[in-house]
Amino acid sequence: DGKPDFDERKVCKNFLVGFCPHDWFTVNKRQLEPCTKVHSEFLKTQFEAHPDADKYRSQYEDEFLAYLEKVVADCDKFIARERIRCRDKGAGGDRLRMPKAEQE
């Protein structure tokens, strides 16, 4: 069908246009699932040299932006849920004090 190898479903388009966020965001509570798609420097070079690279890049970047916006929205929801658990600034709570004999 003339479709370039880099345009196959199994290839990570995010990797082709910059980076795969699954490789970057690995904090325990907020980590993304590992990427199961192919990250290939050879395919990235093929992509960059393709005569229609600009057309593909535009499409892949649009999809990547939509994905990142979803990730940000999910993080914002997480922050909103966790913020409820936080004390207000200055609310403090009980303070532990060292006995006077140990303070000197």
Side-chain angles (χ1 to χ4, degrees):
D1 64 29
K3 185 176 179 178
D5 293 340
F6 63 79
D7 197 41
E8 296 291 327
R9 287 179 54 107
K10 64 184 177 185
V11 176
C12 179
K13 308 309 186 291
N14 300 335
F15 178 80
L16 296 179
V17 297
F19 70 97
C20 179
H22 296 264
D23 294 339
W24 285 47
F25 299 106
T26 58
V27 176
N28 287 342
K29 285 191 173 189
R30 298 299 307 151
Q31 74 183 27
L32 300 174
E33 294 295 320
C35 184
T36 59
K37 297 192 175 193
V38 175
H39 296 174
S40 166
E41 290 294 336
F42 174 78
L43 291 175
K44 190 173 191 175
T45 301
Q46 182 190 63
F47 162 71
E48 291 168 351
H50 194 275
D52 292 328
D54 288 340
K55 177 187 86 165
Y56 286 105
R57 179 179 306 282
S58 178
Q59 174 190 340
Y60 298 164
E61 286 178 348
D62 287 347
E63 292 167 0
F64 191 23
L65 179 60
Y67 174 73
L68 291 175
E69 287 172 342
K70 181 187 175 305
V71 170
V72 168
D74 289 347
C75 287
D76 287 344
K77 288 177 190 172
F78 176 80
I79 290 167
R81 282 192 313 266
E82 291 298 309
R83 184 169 279 147
I84 294 168
R85 296 181 180 187
C86 296
R87 287 190 294 250
D88 289 336
K89 186 174 181 179
D94 293 333
R95 292 188 182 170
L96 297 176
R97 297 190 188 272
M98 292 175 39
K100 285 192 179 204
E102 293 180 28
Q103 288 179 14
E104 298 171 355

